[in-house]
Amino acid sequence: MTKKIFNAVELFCGIGGFRIAADAEGLATIWANDNCQKAGKVYGDRFGIDHFHLGDIRAIWQEIPPHDLLTAGFPCQPFSSAGKKQGLRDARGHLFEIIIEVLQKNTPQFFILENVKRILSMESGCHFATILSQLTRIGYKVEWRLLNAIYFGLPQNRERVLLVGELVKGRQINDYLSKIRLASEEDIYEIDKEGFLETENWLKLEKQNRKFPGWGMAFEEKFFAADLTKFSEGIKLVPFKTIIESNVNGSFDLTESTIARLANSSPVNRFVNGVEILYNQKGGARMGYTVFGIGGIAPTLTSTTSRHYERYKIGDKYRRLTDVEYARLQGFPDDHCSAVARRYRYILYGNAVPPPMVRWTLQKITGEPKQLSPPKYHQLRIPFS
């Protein structure tokens, strides 16, 4: 039986993407931190200020109380090549080290971490290998999966890596390695076919020198990974056009300037990863001057200011998206960022984790994991010393 989770701590909390999911699942968030004043203003407005702490986490992390679940959408800057340890790049001196310190100090039963898709391939996999190595050294079994916002009823092509850690230090690892949380019964067939339980197939993290697959599990600096063919949870896909606001005022209109530039643009009129591309100066998906349609799903929203002025053809006008449409594409309430000026809302939404994605992941922790049983007459061999 999975241990009951009662409370959570949220690091790098932003506007509370993890918090919304935790609230929906009945968890109490007892401590949260971010160093962005605008994000802190939104967080305080939506959830209260009693447990929110604004400032540099490096100065206050030792104040974090005991908790059952740690969540964080952590920064992903590359680790330094200085001070190599056991063949891996050193994580010291970076904000990710604070996560390790908090886990070691408070030993929560679980953690959920979130980052961009590129983390799987940065520095030929060395970056992600370092992260997994650091987490498994302190007694956690780590499972990760590449997810897309479209899986969770959000019409946005937003791929993110979710990592779930479970504290198994000092326990019978045989009971934990075969328990899978981020894969369905259908996925497990693929995992089993790849030889997951043949533990001699597990690789040393220090030897990894290529991109990691979209699903995997790591323990004591070794891992097994596979590319799962599809997401089979049966979640209904939502069209982009269904979240578009009607009767949008003229402040969002870019029609005249767009028409003037279309003369120097190339018609594209195709879908790229589900995103409708109408025009582009270079003919690519997001190079040069791009005009999007709303016939499929939205491109990935970002926190980059220039991206907030991308053109969309909506009806007979060309305009940028509204802040409400940003909120809907990310799975937040329409007025979630109303405590700050509109120009800041785009950045805050673009930098957030979608709450429905986190909630699905959280439910995989609170529920019972899928059990992958060893074949008959097969004894699970543990490759870890």
Side-chain angles (χ1 to χ4, degrees):
M1 180 68 68
T2 300
K3 179 182 175 181
K4 177 68 176 177
I5 302 174
F6 294 101
N7 53 52
V9 162
E10 187 179 11
L11 303 184
F12 315 108
C13 65
I15 58 175
F18 281 100
R19 174 63 181 267
I20 289 177
D23 286 355
E25 292 300 309
L27 275 66
T29 298
I30 60 174
W31 203 92
N33 163 262
D34 202 278
N35 66 350
C36 173
Q37 290 188 348
K38 294 295 187 296
K41 188 173 182 179
V42 171
Y43 197 97
D45 176 65
R46 303 305 298 186
F47 310 111
I49 62 174
D50 290 347
H51 303 297
F52 176 76
H53 302 264
L54 179 68
D56 189 339
I57 186 62
R58 290 169 291 192
I60 59 177
W61 71 266
Q62 295 190 35
E63 301 173 9
I64 297 175
H67 50 280
D68 303 314
L69 171 69
L70 179 73
T71 67
F74 64 99
C76 66
Q77 70 270 34
F79 297 129
S80 170
S81 60
K84 289 186 178 180
K85 182 187 294 184
Q86 298 184 12
L88 297 175
R89 296 192 185 276
D90 195 349
R92 294 174 296 178
H94 293 267
L95 289 172
F96 181 74
E97 181 188 10
I98 299 300
I99 294 176
I100 298 298
E101 297 281 6
V102 173
L103 291 172
Q104 286 184 299
K105 174 179 178 287
N106 291 293
T107 61
Q109 183 62 32
F110 294 99
F111 64 73
I112 301 177
L113 307 180
E114 176 263 351
N115 216 290
V116 297
K117 176 184 178 180
R118 193 168 67 91
I119 200 171
L120 297 174
S121 58
M122 289 174 66
E123 300 184 8
S124 299
C126 183
H127 189 74
F128 195 59
T130 301
I131 289 170
L132 294 176
S133 179
Q134 294 289 325
L135 293 168
T136 63
R137 283 178 188 171
I138 59 175
Y140 284 87
K141 182 197 76 172
V142 182
E143 186 179 350
W144 74 89
R145 182 152 190 185
L146 180 64
L147 299 170
N148 196 318
I150 61 174
Y151 301 160
F152 310 101
L154 303 176
Q156 178 192 178
N157 181 38
R158 187 183 189 85
E159 292 183 295
R160 290 296 185 267
V161 177
L162 275 293
L163 299 93
V164 167
E166 183 172 2
L167 187 64
V168 296
K169 187 175 183 179
R171 305 185 181 200
Q172 292 295 318
I173 191 58
N174 301 55
D175 297 330
Y176 284 86
L177 283 184
S178 59
K179 292 180 178 179
I180 297 173
R181 296 187 179 277
L182 302 183
S184 68
E185 296 285 357
E186 187 175 347
D187 296 324
I188 284 177
Y189 172 76
E190 296 291 330
I191 295 167
D192 190 24
K193 188 170 65 176
E194 294 292 329
F196 172 75
L197 287 176
E198 299 291 338
T199 51
E200 62 269 18
N201 294 329
W202 287 47
L203 305 175
K204 292 182 178 180
L205 285 165
E206 65 180 5
K207 296 185 180 298
Q208 178 70 354
N209 60 359
R210 59 180 179 175
K211 176 183 176 181
F212 279 84
W215 175 91
M217 186 181 291
F219 181 74
E220 289 193 351
E221 301 188 69
K222 293 190 177 183
F223 77 99
F224 181 93
D227 277 313
L228 305 181
T229 55
K230 62 181 180 179
F231 189 81
S232 53
E233 294 286 323
I235 298 174
K236 183 178 180 181
L237 299 181
V238 175
F240 185 8
K241 60 185 178 182
T242 62
I243 64 91
I244 295 296
E245 284 195 280
S246 59
N247 301 318
V248 173
N249 67 55
S251 64
F252 299 93
D253 190 12
L254 301 169
T255 299
E256 290 185 9
S257 61
T258 303
I259 291 175
R261 292 202 182 192
L262 290 184
N264 296 318
S265 299
S266 302
V268 178
N269 294 320
R270 64 188 177 96
F271 288 84
V272 179
N273 295 324
V275 178
E276 186 179 22
I277 312 294
L278 299 179
Y279 295 93
N280 194 282
Q281 284 181 329
K282 302 295 183 181
R286 207 165 187 167
M287 300 168 58
Y289 189 87
T290 304
V291 178
F292 297 99
I294 59 171
I297 59 176
T300 305
L301 303 184
T302 77
S303 59
T304 305
T305 304
S306 62
R307 293 278 179 87
H308 308 156
Y309 288 87
E310 289 178 328
R311 272 71 169 169
Y312 293 80
K313 189 175 189 300
I314 302 174
D316 58 354
K317 289 188 175 183
Y318 297 92
R319 66 168 174 86
R320 65 185 178 122
L321 297 180
T322 69
D323 52 303
V324 170
E325 289 161 349
Y326 258 57
R328 292 174 181 177
L329 287 171
Q330 285 285 64
F332 286 88
D334 287 359
D335 62 346
H336 187 78
C337 287
S338 60
V340 297
R342 177 177 288 134
R343 64 181 181 275
Y344 300 119
R345 299 173 195 173
Y346 289 93
I347 297 172
L348 295 174
Y349 285 132
N351 199 40
V353 58
M357 184 183 292
V358 176
R359 189 176 182 185
W360 177 87
T361 308
L362 184 54
Q363 288 171 345
K364 296 301 179 181
I365 289 180
T366 56
E368 286 301 303
K370 301 291 189 300
Q371 182 72 47
L372 184 56
S373 301
K376 192 175 182 181
Y377 307 123
H378 173 82
Q379 182 174 355
L380 184 62
R381 293 182 290 279
I382 305 303
F384 314 113
S385 57

